Amino acid sequence: MRFAFTDDQVALRDAVRDLLAKECPPEVVRAAWPEGPDDRGAEPGAGARSATDRSWVALADMGALGVAVPEAHGGLGLGELDWVLLAEETGYAGLPHPFVETSCVAAPLLAAAGDPGGDLPGLVDGSAVATATALGADLVPWGGDAEVVLSLLLDGEGPWTAHRVDATAAVPVASVDRARRLARLDVGGGTGLGSARDAAVAFDRGALGTAAQLVGLGRRMLDLTVAYVAERQQFGRPVGAQQAVKHHLADAAKDLHFAAPAVYGAAWSLAAGDAHGHRAVSTAKALASDAARRTGRAALQCHGAIGYTVEADLHLYLKRAEALARAWGDAAWHRDRVAWALGL
């Protein structure tokens, strides 16, 4: 078996990486916070939505928002192995938009269900966004901003179900990562969408995409910290020269290097229709959640007190990682799912 990404997959990843480096630097992520700086034309206190929207439009222009949508619906018709690297890059950038929820979950699920509401064109061209929540969680990221809100539910050991829920009653809720603009919604009802298998695959895609974003966030926090400890001087030497600092960062790098192949392997399992794909996804989500959280703690400790402040870029990625580690099932939930799949 050849376990490596193709040249085309790497080239698409590199193109998205370059785009996000240009359109989604830390100041754009910061501007998505309600109290973010207003240096790009938005109203004070509203967050510079014009700046954050530009990165979303640029992704749409590239075709990235329709990456998992069949060509018949205007997308690229690519699979999990093609978009998993894109999800990782959106995590590295801290993209303040629901890429995983829109492009990896909602759009392919709507396509499988025949697009009953005619939403796909807007999701593909970036004029609309979708969001999703799972496992009965009623706190929905971008819940007040999305045109399409999906809820994926699992009734005990029964089949998965997908519902489209009413987003008009969204109540904004403060959260640790305010760029995700959480809202509370009633996810118990709504209109059924697709088959049980469609819903199950949609959940696995959401968990996989989130795991990939956590790996990207971990990489970003590690890069920020390595740069910081190489520059910060103490007693005439960079603090990164201290062995205790090196050990923290080496442990974080090791965790990320173990988690990333599990994420890529899970993408292969889903793309290949492997009967044990759900087990691979849960293994990946558990490892990625743990790796990103441990990397965040190491990064915070190596930054020292400045790491706690909102002025430091680290907090943008640290808080996103803490939020995503609990989204789409936390590490404990996914370990239980693996144990159940193995009959333990």
Side-chain angles (χ1 to χ4, degrees), residues 37-327:
D38 179 34
D39 57 357
R40 298 205 181 199
E43 295 181 4
R49 300 290 178 84
S50 58
T52 59
D53 285 346
R54 199 164 63 200
S55 59
W56 191 247
V57 171
L59 284 172
D61 290 343
M62 179 180 281
L65 301 187
V67 65
V69 175
E71 293 181 54
H73 288 283
L76 299 181
L78 302 179
E80 287 81 1
L81 270 175
D82 301 290
W83 58 250
V84 71
L85 292 177
L86 309 191
E88 184 176 336
E89 293 306 316
T90 62
Y92 187 90
L95 181 72
H97 287 286
F99 174 78
V100 167
E101 291 83 353
T102 296
S103 304
C104 309
V105 178
L109 177 58
L110 289 171
D115 192 19
D119 300 290
L120 272 177
L123 298 183
V124 171
D125 68 20
S127 60
V129 298
T131 189
T133 185
L135 304 172
D138 60 354
L139 295 178
V140 183
W142 298 281
D145 302 337
E147 284 77 8
V148 178
V149 180
L150 303 180
S151 173
L152 303 172
L153 299 173
L154 179 63
D155 183 13
E157 296 181 4
W160 284 93
T161 57
H163 300 269
R164 180 168 181 167
V165 301
D166 179 14
T168 59
V171 178
V173 176
S175 64
V176 64
D177 176 12
R178 302 187 68 184
R180 294 175 80 225
R181 300 191 289 281
L182 276 187
R184 189 180 301 280
L185 280 168
D186 178 10
V187 299
T191 306
L193 188 68
S195 67
R197 173 168 172 72
D198 293 337
V201 172
F203 174 79
D204 281 334
R205 286 172 176 155
L208 171 66
T210 304
Q213 287 189 322
L214 284 163
V215 170
L217 284 161
R219 286 175 37 226
R220 186 58 172 269
M221 291 188 287
L222 192 59
D223 287 350
L224 282 173
T225 308
V226 169
Y228 178 76
V229 299
E231 180 181 358
R232 175 93 163 91
Q233 298 276 324
Q234 193 171 47
F235 306 116
R237 302 178 62 195
V239 296
Q242 304 298 328
Q243 200 168 45
V245 174
K246 292 179 181 178
H247 283 174
H248 277 305
L249 300 182
D251 287 343
K254 177 199 65 180
D255 288 344
L256 292 170
H257 281 300
F258 273 106
V263 172
Y264 305 152
W268 179 88
S269 293
L270 289 188
D274 181 10
H276 303 296
H278 63 291
R279 193 172 73 195
V281 168
S282 282
T283 301
K285 179 62 167 64
L287 288 174
S289 295
D290 288 346
R293 295 191 71 201
R294 281 197 290 264
T295 302
R297 288 198 294 272
L300 187 58
Q301 183 165 357
C302 291
H303 270 76
I306 195 173
Y308 287 98
T309 66
V310 295
E311 288 78 9
D313 288 341
L314 176 64
H315 92 100
L316 300 171
Y317 310 100
L318 177 64
K319 291 171 180 172
R320 179 69 56 84
E322 285 293 327
L324 294 188
R326 292 165 172 78

